[in-house]
Amino acid sequence: MSGRRVIVVGGGPAGLMAAGQAAALGAETLLLEKMDRPGRKLRITGNGRCNLTNMSPLSEFAAHFGPNGRFLRHAFSEFFAPELVAFFKPLGVRTVTEENGRVFPASGRAGDVVDALTRWVRKRGVTILTRSPVDRLLVQGRTVIGAQVPPGHVYKADAVIIATGGASYTSTGSTGDGYRLAESVGHGIVPIRPALVPLETAGDIAMPLQGLSLNGVKVRVLANRKKQAEASGEMIFTHFGVSGPVILALSKQIVDALRLGKRLVLSIDLEPALEDATLEARLLCDIAEHGKRQFHTLLRGMLPRRLIQICTDLTGIPADKPAHQLTAPERRRLRTWLKDFRLEVTGHRPLTEAIVTAGGVATREVDPRTMASRVVSGLYLAGEVLDLDADTGGFNLQAAFSTGWNAGRAAARGITGIPRHSVRQNGLA
Ligand SMILES: Cc1cc2nc3c(=O)[nH]c(=O)nc-3n(C[C@H](O)[C@H](O)[C@H](O)COP(=O)(O)OP(=O)(O)OC[C@H]3O[C@@H](n4cnc5c(N)ncnc54)[C@H](O)[C@@H]3O)c2cc1C
């Protein structure tokens, strides 16, 4: 048993990056992964395309994490999006930057990212043990000395990095073990809850619209008629309610408001670019041109077909009414509905279906410069196990890579005695 061993618990993006960096700095590194192979969640990211990171400037980027973005500033200042892109290039993963700064592998395959990362980790000399779920941290006094895998395999180490991810999409291996491990050695856990999660809505509106996606809508969240939040973009109807980028972006605030017992309504503006007067002018123009058409046919120029019946039901305007007979109050009802199509939120999908877990190991108990635990010496934490979560757009993966990068290097430095400046001069890959 070497006296300079780093154990990394969990082979997601944070753990793989941490392990490779620790090994690159000369630490004997053992990666213990619970599943049959590392990177299972990474493989399904970005609908299989993997939105690796985002090219927003640092301050804008960090703001996507809310108040905890401050914690990440140091990690980002050391290893950020341009460094991540440069890191992957020699590993054979070229990237492309798409709309809103989102970065993807040029191949469009998340699997390429996982394979390249795993190859790199192995090449660095990391030993990867799969089907090895750590169920206990071994601690002596206030110092970590190893980890245990049932039925009683003990792996000693001088530093342990917990990179077990969150508690969602549990079939990928992220089942919240890290929270229990950290708590067992004295860490405080900010209550975990879903972030980036689809929402359930009342009544039978969503079900028949299942699969319909609406682009460029503005969604406002109302509690007792007061606006709580709003976002614009794409949403999609599902058999239980709504999902899609704009809904996911609002979901964390909605989950928190629902927990406080607030009654919430989504107000969807289907025509955010049009003021009421412009909308009326457009309607009158359509009516002048196609006055003989029935109301539902007139709507075809304005709405996706599947929304038409919902529109006639909710506005109470007879579907077969000739357009030229629409009264001013009916046109007003239609305009109001187009700008304020309401869905009552009854709940959210469970944590297991969330893209990211909010809550986790309290960041105040972790040194932001090194990801070292302030509670147990030799212990480090990286990735989603920390109380960090951001919007969609590549922010969460960058946080996993940046904290993993820092944790791996700091853990190796801690046990090998390499001074900080020479660590920074070391090549990235
Ligand atoms: C469907 C989906 C799509 C997503 N798409 C994107 C995207 O495009 N861009 C983006 O930025 N983010 C995306 N995310 C979020 C992103 O995947 C996570 O934030 C990120 O994977 C977290 O990395 P991690 O290394 O901390 O944890 P994880 O990726 O969850 O990895 C944790 C690893 O630890 C292992 N493990 C757990 N417990 C133990 C244990 N006791 N012992 C040993 N091993 C253990 C797990 O098996 C797993 O391999 C997506 C998430 C989902 C669910």
Side-chain angles (χ1 to χ4, degrees):
M1 171 66 227
S2 154
R4 303 168 57 225
R5 182 191 263 177
V6 172
I7 286 181
V8 179
V9 186
L16 287 166
M17 180 60 87
Q21 292 299 338
L25 293 195
E28 180 196 332
T29 308
L30 174 62
L31 175 63
L32 298 172
E33 165 54 47
K34 175 182 189 161
M35 304 301 280
D36 57 347
R37 55 183 176 164
R40 276 180 158 253
K41 185 175 278 182
L42 185 55
R43 215 169 264 281
I44 59 164
T45 53
N47 285 327
R49 292 184 60 219
C50 184
N51 182 187
L52 267 179
T53 183
N54 194 291
M55 282 302 168
S56 320
L58 202 154
S59 56
E60 207 179 287
F61 198 113
H64 284 275
F65 290 81
N68 277 354
R70 267 196 314 271
F71 173 84
L72 284 166
R73 278 181 168 265
H74 187 273
F76 285 162
S77 71
E78 299 240 318
F79 185 77
F80 195 40
E83 287 79 18
L84 186 67
V85 167
F87 166 85
F88 273 112
K89 201 170 167 192
L91 306 188
V93 180
R94 288 178 180 276
T95 54
V96 287
T97 304
E98 298 188 359
E99 212 183 333
N100 298 324
R102 292 169 185 240
V103 178
F104 294 87
S107 69
R109 287 192 300 264
D112 291 352
V113 176
V114 183
D115 295 343
L117 203 52
T118 314
R119 265 197 314 272
W120 169 75
V121 164
R122 288 191 199 280
K123 221 165 133 189
R124 287 291 178 196
V126 175
T127 305
I128 303 179
L129 294 186
T130 54
R131 297 191 173 86
S132 301
V134 170
D135 71 344
R136 215 179 125 214
L137 292 178
L138 308 173
V139 174
Q140 208 165 56
R142 300 301 317 154
T143 302
V144 72
I145 56 161
Q148 180 182 287
V149 172
H153 302 290
V154 167
Y155 299 96
K156 293 218 167 153
D158 305 280
V160 173
I161 302 173
I162 301 182
T164 44
S168 73
Y169 279 72
T170 48
S171 60
T172 63
S174 321
T175 50
D177 296 2
Y179 307 128
R180 294 183 279 279
L181 293 172
E183 200 167 24
S184 73
V185 297
H187 269 286
I189 307 295
V190 175
I192 59 167
R193 57 213 191 277
L196 304 183
V197 72
L199 302 174
E200 293 168 355
T201 55
D204 47 13
I205 295 180
M207 178 69 114
L209 298 177
Q210 190 180 155
L212 173 70
S213 96
L214 301 176
N215 280 307
V217 293
K218 186 199 275 183
V219 180
R220 284 174 300 148
V221 183
L222 308 177
N224 299 330
R225 299 206 188 114
K226 271 200 176 148
K227 188 173 86 178
Q228 307 283 297
E230 76 174 29
S232 298
E234 183 192 353
M235 63 175 283
I236 183 161
F237 289 91
T238 65
H239 64 284
F240 51 76
V242 285
S243 187
V246 70
I247 299 298
L248 297 179
L250 293 166
S251 64
K252 187 180 170 196
Q253 278 164 286
I254 291 176
V255 169
D256 288 342
L258 288 170
R259 284 174 156 235
L260 295 173
K262 292 192 180 170
R263 278 198 58 207
L264 300 178
V265 167
L266 300 178
S267 159
I268 303 163
D269 184 346
L270 297 162
E271 296 286 358
L274 300 184
E275 295 294 323
D276 188 61
T278 327
L279 203 48
E280 170 72 344
R282 183 179 149 190
L283 259 177
L284 289 173
C285 184
D286 283 0
I287 290 169
E289 211 173 320
H290 310 291
K292 286 193 185 146
R293 284 190 183 162
Q294 294 182 332
F295 177 50
H296 70 99
T297 315
L298 187 80
L299 286 175
R300 282 191 199 161
M302 256 174 251
L303 291 174
R305 280 189 182 221
R306 291 163 72 191
L307 257 190
I308 290 176
Q309 191 176 340
I310 303 283
C311 172
T312 55
D313 288 352
L314 293 179
T315 56
I317 304 170
D320 57 359
K321 189 166 193 175
H324 66 87
Q325 287 179 18
L326 287 181
T327 62
E330 283 173 335
R331 289 200 309 276
R332 190 175 327 113
R333 285 215 300 280
L334 174 60
R335 294 196 312 272
T336 306
W337 182 81
L338 287 169
K339 299 291 287 178
D340 186 16
F341 165 27
R342 291 188 175 205
L343 290 168
E344 189 187 338
V345 181
T346 50
H348 55 79
R349 298 302 279 175
L351 178 58
T352 49
E353 291 179 31
I355 302 290
V356 181
T357 307
V361 176
T363 50
R364 65 174 180 278
E365 297 176 357
V366 178
D367 183 339
R369 290 162 305 162
T370 57
M371 302 298 138
S373 162
R374 298 192 205 268
V375 176
V376 176
S377 133
L379 185 65
Y380 297 78
L381 300 110
E384 206 179 309
V385 71
L386 290 162
D387 175 23
L388 297 169
D389 64 274
D391 302 322
T392 58
F395 308 105
N396 290 295
L397 279 176
Q398 179 69 52
F401 285 123
S402 295
T403 54
W405 190 92
N406 257 271
R409 292 170 90 87
R413 208 161 56 217
I415 65 173
T416 55
I418 300 174
R420 191 175 171 74
H421 61 272
S422 55
V423 172
R424 290 216 54 184
Q425 279 155 18
N426 241 302
L428 290 173

